[in-house]
Amino acid sequence: MQATAYTYDSDTRSGQVLLDDGTPVPFDAPAFDAGGLRLLRPGQRVRIETEGEGDARRITLVTLHTL
């Protein structure tokens, strides 16, 4: 799934992405670390993997979207 980086805190390695419908979804350090990224800037297109649905949905991977 694709999303757009919305917030990122380099101290905690956590933040939020915006889904294409505008829904914000938070991610934590393990999801960020799983993608192997060192930095994330707001506005970057990212690829995410999730598990669960609705309010229980959580991001398990954040990485850069590549074509």
Side-chain angles (χ1 to χ4, degrees):
M1 174 183 309
Q2 295 179 32
T4 302
Y6 182 52
T7 64
Y8 174 68
D9 181 334
S10 60
D11 292 332
T12 63
R13 298 182 326 281
S14 63
Q16 289 185 321
V17 299
L18 291 177
L19 302 181
D20 289 342
D21 67 2
T23 303
V25 181
F27 63 88
D28 55 15
F32 182 79
D33 293 344
L37 299 175
R38 295 183 353 178
L39 181 66
L40 190 61
R41 291 185 306 262
Q44 283 183 299
R45 267 318 253 182
V46 295
R47 184 176 68 83
I48 60 171
E49 292 182 8
T50 63
E51 64 182 23
E53 293 186 26
D55 291 339
R57 178 175 25 194
R58 71 180 198 89
I59 296 175
T60 59
L61 173 84
V62 178
T63 191
L64 291 181
H65 174 69
T66 58
L67 299 174

